[in-house]
Amino acid sequence: MSHPVTELDRVVIRFAGDSGDGMQLTGDRFTQEAAVFGNDLSTLPNFPAEIRAPQGTIPGVSSFQLHFASYDILTPGDRPDVLVAMNPAALKANTGDLPKGATVIVDTHDFTARNLTKVGYAANPLEDETLADFAVHAVDLTGMTVEAVKEFGLSRKDAARSKNMFALGLVSWLYGRDVAGTETYLAHKFATKPTIRDANVAALRAGWNFGETTETFAVSYVVKPAPAAPGRYRNITGNTALSYGLVAAGRLSGLPVLMGAYPITPASDILHELSKHKRFGVTTFQAEDEIAAIGAAVGASFAGTLGVTATSGPGVALKSEAMGLAVMTELPLVVVDVQRGGPSTGLPTKTEQSDLLQAMYGRNGEAPMPVIAPQSPGDCFAAAVEAARIAITYRTPVMLLSDGYLANGSEPWAIPSVADLPAIEPGFATAPNHSTTNAKGEPVEEFWPYLRDEETLARPWAIPGTAGLEHRIGGLEKGEGHGNISYDPANHDRMVRIRAEKVQRIADSLPPLEVDDPSGQADVLVIGWGSTYGPIGAACRRVRAAGHPIAQVHLRHVNPLPNDLGAILRRYDRVVCPEMNLGQLSRLLRAEYLVDVRPITTVRGLPFGAEALAHDLLTHVTRTAEALA
Amino acid sequence: MSHPVTELDRVVIRFAGDSGDGMQLTGDRFTQEAAVFGNDLSTLPNFPAEIRAPQGTIPGVSSFQLHFASYDILTPGDRPDVLVAMNPAALKANTGDLPKGATVIVDTHDFTARNLTKVGYAANPLEDETLADFAVHAVDLTGMTVEAVKEFGLSRKDAARSKNMFALGLVSWLYGRDVAGTETYLAHKFATKPTIRDANVAALRAGWNFGETTETFAVSYVVKPAPAAPGRYRNITGNTALSYGLVAAGRLSGLPVLMGAYPITPASDILHELSKHKRFGVTTFQAEDEIAAIGAAVGASFAGTLGVTATSGPGVALKSEAMGLAVMTELPLVVVDVQRGGPSTGLPTKTEQSDLLQAMYGRNGEAPMPVIAPQSPGDCFAAAVEAARIAITYRTPVMLLSDGYLANGSEPWAIPSVADLPAIEPGFATAPNHSTTNAKGEPVEEFWPYLRDEETLARPWAIPGTAGLEHRIGGLEKGEGHGNISYDPANHDRMVRIRAEKVQRIADSLPPLEVDDPSGQADVLVIGWGSTYGPIGAACRRVRAAGHPIAQVHLRHVNPLPNDLGAILRRYDRVVCPEMNLGQLSRLLRAEYLVDVRPITTVRGLPFGAEALAHDLLTHVTRTAEALA
Amino acid sequence: MTTVDLPAPALTAKDFSSDQEVRWCPGCGDYAVLKAVQSFLPDLGLRRENIVFVSGIGCSSRFPYYLDTYGMHSIHGRAPSIATGIATAREDLNVWVVTGDGDALSIGGNHLIHALRRNVNMTILLFNNRIYGLTKGQYSPTSETGKVTKSTPVGSIDHPFNPVSLALGAEASFVARTIDCDRKHLTAVLAAAAAHRGTSLVEIYQNCPIFNDGAFEGLKGPDAADQLLRLEPGLEVTVDGQTWTHDPTEANPTRQFAISRLDGDPDSPVPVGIFRQVDRPTYDDQARAQVADALAAAGPGDLQALLDSGDTWSVAEERA
Amino acid sequence: MTTVDLPAPALTAKDFSSDQEVRWCPGCGDYAVLKAVQSFLPDLGLRRENIVFVSGIGCSSRFPYYLDTYGMHSIHGRAPSIATGIATAREDLNVWVVTGDGDALSIGGNHLIHALRRNVNMTILLFNNRIYGLTKGQYSPTSETGKVTKSTPVGSIDHPFNPVSLALGAEASFVARTIDCDRKHLTAVLAAAAAHRGTSLVEIYQNCPIFNDGAFEGLKGPDAADQLLRLEPGLEVTVDGQTWTHDPTEANPTRQFAISRLDGDPDSPVPVGIFRQVDRPTYDDQARAQVADALAAAGPGDLQALLDSGDTWSVAEERA
Ligand SMILES: Cc1ncc(C[n+]2csc(CCOP(=O)(O)OP(=O)(O)O)c2C)c(N)n1
Ligand SMILES: Cc1ncc(C[n+]2csc(CCOP(=O)(O)OP(=O)(O)O)c2C)c(N)n1
Ligand code: SF4
Ligand code: SF4
Ligand SMILES: [Mg+2]
Ligand SMILES: [Mg+2]
């Protein structure tokens, strides 16, 4: 290599183009290259709600951001160091996020007067002062791509389609990344279309060579591998990890899995993924609506299968009544909510954490449901297994709260060894559990479907096909123990409290919380749940790097809250809770512990930026210090 | 009258019999007699979920309790002073509630060995010590009824049916009540069946005469009229009052009303009542389900009508998604939830307050809705008008939380003068509201559907048919002002906060809270919402009567909470919140004000008993006093 | 219908009665149907534990409580969905749905038509009393236009569904109608419905003496013979002047549909019996076949291999 | 259709185009339908402000944004309910529903069949592309069995609905089918649908070039003539060997149903045009008539009298 090479410890790169430009694929492939190289990484895809938004418009821009580093990182990064913009719209939509000095690689091909006007550029930004703060590389990526693939005889339009691979090749060169994996990938993907395959590979190589042979880029960079424990890794998105977690839960419990679902963004991929795993005893049922989907899952659970349903906020709203039935019948059920921007249809492709209170309270009557949340894309696996453990052990519907960021974002995942995963015991009832005498005074053995395990308060799960345990359940109030309909006031009061207590008892099965407070000196505790783990962690690092101690604790279990949480919260002078909603966990904590939890909220459809969050946290830290001084 | 007459200041009487025995009618009529006489009163009907539960069984017992007094009372009473039991099941089911010394009037007719065994009486309770604590009058009501009506040539079975009128006549005599009103009522009800009419009237008179002429009762009683402000009164149930309130809201706003509903206990009577009032421009639509019902109401609101839907908890669960649409489209809508025992199908005919958190949070995303609750049956009228005022003024769906007790319970209601009710101003948009220039630089007037009123933050309501204001709304996020779809992150954050702020601003339109603390010395404040008003008030009276000051405040508006509530709560050493759930308002208050609100909860499907509640309150008062000492 | 042939012990109607007290109103048509079902169930030759009754909400939906089988009294309108889950999860279960005209055709209409088109193995007993019984007497989607009820004081204005026509339009593979009071006919129809593989819909005219007494009065008692058209294969039926030979097994549902339209005609007898009975693949059999095929083709899934799939990399030694 | 005759100014297609950028994929069949509707709307002779378009969720449900009328892009499957509210509230509005095969037949199936049986004044445009477009390509209730999609990697096992048969089974008064690319046919069908009093259902075959390209390929281009059976009153149609004379106005829907079954037959042409067009009272007209009758009989309600009704009593002087 004739170019000088500069070492960096982290890079944030954003690929942006029209929805049809293949930016998600470009990002995915570059992510894969970085992953295989050994960087730690985190990604943030961002696409419009339209299938194909109008070409060349700002709403039509699709982007993919990747943060990769030589140390462990927690977020996809706030501001791109490098922007690859495939057209004027992509440039316009993204320059606002760039820090001074960022590198901008622009495909000049579409910078016609008409296209510029369409997005509101009065003049060509490549020719005026618009991009003065950035290092701009304006190159005709499209033109060069067409040139590179001309031997394959494609139409100009089809030829130009490979420009994303040209861009990928160029960026791969820039960071010294091997494109062999992508070549294999292309060979596989276009196995049946050899011309397309060859054109893409040619474009990819041409991009790489363009970097290598021209003087466009003065330096290239290297970002060394990040520290990592030994083991096998793969890059994984939250939706895939969650699906694998459900498949694993079936295996670990020995139960078949029946997933009822109705497609909805951003949860549909869970249905798509699970539909591939019939060999694991997983059946998927695409229902006519969300209610039928959960209905089938409840039916399947009654029949001795692990019933699962996955949806997003509007679908959860529709499932509310049926979740109540699962609460009353005390059947295992996993309800996955991949949260998106609300209310109503809201912002379907954006992320948000605003279904927490719906998950807690969105049912008629006192209908408690455990609520658990994964903290990163890879963690969706473990969270799904945990949801199934609780559902099966305690005979209860469980709400698993993922979100759009986790669903589509990815990170390297240390692949667990299946042998190390703990079994889940369905413990089906097989025999009568209650002795009584019949009218003639003879002893009789009966089955009482609401006679509970003393420790967990779980009721027995007797599945059809088990002789002698025939019984009827339903949504009317049950008599304690025998489970027949009961209108007795005292019984109802007792049953309402027992159902609440059962969910509360789950807390006894949880490990102690881990508070991250490296200095042990913090006065301020930051608490979060779900996908804010990364940004909060990154922000805390910044605060600490600026010389201020700060503690972090993160909740996987939001209901029941861990037994040790109250004591932890009271240990700090100030508790701060960042959330992608208007302060929903804050409300729960304030009500539960009477601690003045202070919300930091963002409802932008995007994860917290670490920098901005660090700034807010710092304010809390200094205010607290002032108050204590 | 030859009998001695004793004066009482209050009586609680319970009529109990088989579901088919007409106890609800007997209770209603006696209530009417008491009302016309001028007593204050409060009623509690209680009936099984089955249409006709099996005869002679405990689950088949239907009862009606009436509390009437010579002073203003607040509850239907805890324990009956008088029980009228029409069969062994009714006796068995109700004796547990009787205080020592209670009067028990029993129809001996059905006390056969078989019937006794059926309900678990080993021996005839009329003949052993079972009723030793009570003043028992065992009379063959059925036999005497049959005798009294024999001239009408009815079958024995039909003749016996009038036994409830015989019982009513007897009890009317006992309390010196005029039966003329009931005779008129019977004449009207059975206008087309003269024989039945005559038999009922004959039985009624026979009952009265039986009391007058026999020596069965040593004394009769008089309960004098209660103090009352001048005016016209009627006895009214919550469901009727609520329906009238909706009719009135239509009149006061000048809007037609369209009510979409799907029948569900205990809300169906609102549909039934409203379906009678077409002359008031009220249209009722019995939809295929709860979702279609609210859908039609939302459509009607879009079209410039006051959209209303009424249901109970399971129906609210189903309407969750559509309520979110109403939040996003900011259309006026009144959603009535007549709460019943939950979760799931729960206890359909029983009362509960357990949908409060569902009302607050049972929607995806940040979807704030005002929540208001009536405090007594008659108050349902004013609460419904208030719900409509908020819905129309602020362009928002409003949740009106009634419950089974309010719905079917009744009380005397001072009929408002229509002329005194305040108008509600729909303020339809009639003209463009925004000036801009078109491509040619010419000024253009546009209509922006999301340009808000500065004070209320309400958006304009431009209804189809208004030329020039054509616009499109929907469930996707709206751009501030213009209302077109917007995926902009900053806009979304702003809109989420604006919607929250709009609901918050409603608090500025509320009157100051009234704290009832006669002595001004209370350390303990009792706070409640909805139908617990009566029992809490009655319990507070008892506490005060026992020499302990205690303060009471009651919320009509649960969301937003009144502006002065925080200061009020902080004024007291202890705040106690009785609720018919596991502490839902307590949670809201704790989260909002960080005040250690202490819940007192009952989930028995029945209102609080004033005596038991007074006992609990007293404990709080003495503990607080101890702590302060 | 289960495909698993179990050596079932000989059972009697009594074996299928649960210990719960039956709580319908005196004279309710539901009693007769319960009796008929209890008497008929032993004929299935199945073990009690392999039978599941699922219902929605309504008077009729109390049915499962009275049968000593597995059962679920679910929520309003959703029984077909729950039954779909049960049937798909378990080949060895015999699944029944009990529902009312409100439960099945009002709130649950969509689940019903989707179950029919999918042809999931279940037998649906639709108790049609043309009224909402449990909520005390509002009109239902099968009530006649003009009906005065609690919610329609001056008469309903909805045009009713014809459940048989609706089911035929929804691709049903088995559709029949019978009547509560005719035990023999009811049992015969039940037997055919239970024997059918796929979704069988049986509409049962059921009298509600409390809120809609006599809705089917003409179809009972002495005149019944004139009023009822008992469908049999080969029966010649005249509709609107056109004569049809009834063949429930005909793939094209047109003639069956034609016969279903007799219902709307006040001058025609009401057709009862089996309208349609055709074989086509069932949803749950195919779902299981897809699982079986996947297993046959590639063996049971290897969880570790699944987790290890895709582009992976290894870190051999701690990299710090 | 409105009954109020307004002196509408002469409008053009352009008057019906909103300022919002159309955001379907290039080549999407929705464009053609939008153009046709925009061009056709002026023919209604109505004022823009008296027209309301309501849609559910799906690609096609974006339709209202592009029309400069009143409109609501509601929630998935519920447009017919919302339209029912609008139509019942306002006699003077012309109400349209725009929906997809998923929106109308999957999640919204129940509202659709109930709207049809009630016969509420609205014109429903059902864009059938036999796929879920907006959620990126899962099979729908009209997808052919065996379809490989994202959610059915080894082929779907659901038997599809025939929307026309379903509608006829649901007592529809107007049912038609047309195709996105045939502007003339589409416009003619739209005109008849809009003119019909009651619920008109128009199924529009619509190509989704992204997720289900060519679903209706045979029906376009040179072979179209053989593949399409253009229904006209009096046309002789042979189904399963039986010949029928098409009469959309016939009260008994049997023949119309028979013709709808041609669809399932791969060897037969696909019938398009008007299957059924019969007059029967509409829900909203009757609802308004009940209000009008009540008013005519007893005059406008007196609120004070209502509140004062029942057994009342008066307290003349403060009673303390
Ligand atoms: C979600 C919901 N909505 C409404 C109800 C009230 N409800 C219970 S049963 C029923 C209709 C009953 O009619 P049908 O299905 O015909 O049964 P029947 O009682 O006549 O046997 C209704 C409206 C409910 N339980 N749940
Ligand atoms: C309650 C709810 N469930 C699911 C979705 C996701 N969703 C949106 S549109 C759609 C189906 C679209 O298919 P179709 O109606 O055929 O319309 P098309 O996009 O094909 O025009 C689905 C499943 C949603 N928006 N809301
Ligand atoms: S109300 Fe009617 S359907 Fe219900 S149990 Fe009574 S008689 Fe039967
Ligand atoms: S996905 Fe299909 S239906 Fe949707 S806009 Fe694109 S082409 Fe049209
Ligand atoms: Mg019924
Ligand atoms: Mg579609």
Side-chain angles (χ1 to χ4, degrees), chain A residues 325 328-329 450 472-476 478, chain B residues 344, chain C residues 65 71-74:
Chain A
L325 177 67
M328 191 65 119
T329 53
Y450 280 76
R472 278 66 52 194
I473 57 177
L476 285 165
K478 308 269 148 282
Chain B
S344 195
Chain C
Y65 289 120
M72 196 191 300
H73 178 220
S74 74

Side-chain angles (χ1 to χ4, degrees), chain B residues 47 49-52 54 57 59 262-265 268 271-272 275-276 278 286-290 318 344-345, chain C residues 21-25 57 59 62 75-76 78 102 106-107 132-134 136 138-139 150-151 153-154 210-211:
Chain B
F47 35 79
E50 288 85 4
I51 304 305
R52 297 277 184 278
T57 66
Y262 186 69
I264 187 167
T265 306
S268 308
L271 168 64
H272 305 159
S275 68
K276 298 178 196 157
K278 304 193 199 309
Q286 181 178 312
E288 60 271 25
D289 67 7
E290 282 85 353
L318 288 168
S344 195
T345 313
Chain C
E21 197 172 358
V22 185
R23 293 203 185 160
W24 289 304
C25 307
I57 301 286
C59 294
R62 291 231 159 194
I75 45 178
H76 199 28
R78 317 302 172 188
S106 195
I107 193 168
Y132 292 171
L134 190 72
K136 308 198 174 174
Q138 299 83 12
Y139 76 114
K150 285 213 183 98
S151 56
V154 292
I210 305 295
F211 296 112

Side-chain angles (χ1 to χ4, degrees), chain A residues 21-41:
Chain A
D21 283 350
M23 292 297 100
Q24 301 302 323
L25 176 63
T26 310
D28 270 345
R29 290 311 315 161
F30 193 73
T31 300
Q32 201 51 46
E33 292 171 8
V36 172
F37 185 80
N39 295 131
D40 195 21
L41 61 84

Side-chain angles (χ1 to χ4, degrees), chain A residues 321, chain B residues 51 262-265 268 290 311 314-315 318 340 345 348, chain C residues 24 30 57-61 75-76 78 99-105 107 127-135 138 140-141 206 208:
Chain A
E321 192 204 7
Chain B
I51 304 305
Y262 186 69
I264 187 167
T265 306
S268 308
E290 282 85 353
T311 185
L318 288 168
R340 65 189 216 182
T345 313
Chain C
W24 289 304
D30 293 354
I57 301 286
C59 294
S60 37
S61 288
I75 45 178
H76 199 28
R78 317 302 172 188
T99 180
D101 44 323
D103 194 61
L105 296 170
I107 193 168
F127 288 60
N128 184 2
N129 54 11
R130 298 196 175 148
I131 200 81
Y132 292 171
L134 190 72
T135 47
Q138 299 83 12
S140 90
Q206 170 244 328
C208 167

Side-chain angles (χ1 to χ4, degrees), chain D residues 101-102 127 129 131-133:
Chain D
D101 44 323
F127 288 59
N129 54 11
I131 200 82
Y132 292 171

Side-chain angles (χ1 to χ4, degrees), chain D residues 191-203:
Chain D
H196 179 71
R197 246 197 120 63
T199 306
S200 323
L201 177 72
V202 182
E203 182 189 10

